[in-house]
Amino acid sequence: MKQAGVSSMALYESTLDEFVKSRRIAVYDSQQAADLTGKVISPNENYTYIVFTNDDSASQIKPIIEETFTRLDIPVRNWEYKGSEGLVLETPRADAALKPMSPDPITVKMLRDKGFAIVPRLTDSLPYNQEYMDKLMAYFADNGVKRLLFEGEAVKGFNDDEDMESLNAFGELLNKYGIGLTAIENIKKPQKGFNKLAYLTDYNVARIYSLSERDATLETDVISDRFVLASKDRNIRMFYLNAEPLRDTTTASITDPLDNIIESLTEPGNAIKDIQANGFTIGQAEAFKVSESPLQRYFKIGALIGAVALISLMISYFIPFLAIPAFILGLIGSAGLYVLNSALMEQAMALAVAISGPTVAMVLAVRKVNDANGSLPDISPGRRLTHAIVLFIKTTILSLAAVPLVIALLNNVTYMLVLEQFRGVNLLALAPMGLTAVYVLLYRGGNATRAGVLKLLKTPITLAWVIAAGIVGVVGLYYLSRTGNAGTAPPIEMAFRSFLENTFGVRPRNKEFLLAHPIMLLGLFLSFKYRHAAYLLIVGAMGQLSMVGTFTHIHSPIYISAIRGLLGLLLGLIIGLIAIMVWQVAERIWKRWVHLIKQ
């Protein structure tokens, strides 16, 4: 593993069971101890008896057990069996087995001698004790520990923080000994107290990607791709390799994934080589260096004003007389929300402006094609194509105008470390398309009239409408299921993604270049001739919002997001041109066929 590039080992807190497995001790309950010694025990006794297997265990493990159980107010006394040192813990064996202790010092020395760094995994299952934690952190620092990884749903000290302010005390110890934290990527529920502890340590945090036991048996190229993408696209700085042997009942065998992991890192996976080729160095993970300009606060105020202006502009396209009131109320409301909860204000404004950018761009595109229907009734296909491409580019630029505002609002290390996240991914995925649909349906002739709305409401609902609504609903649910980090993709799509990644270096989004952008370009081309073709722009809005959504992943490098969007545009433009060509050919064939039928 050392030769393959693994530089650190995660080390859990010790338990009596762990000491038994590592042959440090033997453990008995009262009845078993009586059987061994041939003595009669009291019927009321239910203790734990420990025998140390050798002198090293007695000298190094015995003090750890004594300290732990004494600190928990459990009586401990010496015991001896056949000349071997032992202890009696006056608590049942089942209870004693649950108590976590400091990591095994014999294992720590063995790993250090082999050149590995240690990443301790700590729980918060016992009452917090500052004196004990000071000694433990000093021991970790002496053994080169630079980061901690927490086990369970809370960080060390969280459960006692309300009574003891233990998180503040623990944070002081971490700063005293120069030890940072490790944030687990895509954890189901954030570990309680982590954000506060990160703040107390001045965000001395590195993010870690965990390869599960099941995933450790995947193909080597799949595992390698995951590591390379995590470091390059998501700024991951640590990788956790779960190499636990798995039982396979179908073959009645044990599967050991360790060789598979090593091959993923070296040959044929080449994960280490590819990560280094992207400019990274294998070694101890370091926290991001945070630097702030004295003018940053004023720049953020400027971004906030710009965001409110863009949101107000979007509102004005649907309710014109609300433009100025929306701007004024937006400024007042955002200022008030900033005082109450600045993070919530930033997230709310970032979501609103991310929705507004693509919506404004799509509304202006719909207006343009609507005006062209009257002013350019019979233009040639070549001119229509030119107008469509120019309008497509203009719409994209207008959509991306929201990006600098989103980035400015969320410009904080907490978003880089995903301690805070852009909120409302599903709303962003739907709102611009929904608002575009509303504008196409109600506003294409100018402002929506009361008569037009009433006419739409009075339109009879037919079976075709019901079927269409059901299809739209199913497609919408599938679309949302594929949105965000929780979305899953079938194996064939994963293979296609790997192909794109290996071909271009950065993978463009499939929904952009395979669906939304081509339909957008085709819709613009057709809208200059056919009025109802504007409905295609509703689907085209998906590509515009997706490009903006890419930049809401603040933990991803901006240049990666920019390349991803640009590739999607270029490929989508090519596919869109092919779709237009196919339409033109099909249209000519249709006209000729109709002409022949009339003859």
Side-chain angles (χ1 to χ4, degrees), residues 16 26-34 40-51 69 73-79 87-97:
L16 293 183
V27 179
Y28 309 99
D29 58 30
S30 293
Q31 183 59 57
Q32 292 170 332
V40 178
I41 63 170
S42 168
N44 297 323
E45 180 183 315
N46 188 9
Y47 294 160
T48 303
Y49 289 76
I50 298 172
V51 176
F69 286 88
D73 295 326
I74 296 174
V76 180
R77 50 189 168 85
N78 290 322
W79 184 60
L87 290 173
V88 178
L89 311 177
E90 295 189 6
T91 188
R93 178 176 177 178
D95 178 66

Side-chain angles (χ1 to χ4, degrees), residues 11 103-113 118 139 143:
L11 198 60
D104 180 359
I106 300 176
T107 302
V108 170
K109 184 178 184 307
M110 181 269 291
L111 293 175
R112 293 280 291 160
D113 289 345
I118 305 297
Y139 171 73
N143 283 276

Side-chain angles (χ1 to χ4, degrees), residues 312-327:
S312 302
L313 181 62
M314 179 191 69
I315 293 173
S316 71
Y317 287 142
F318 295 91
I319 311 176
F321 66 86
L322 286 183
I324 300 301
F327 181 72

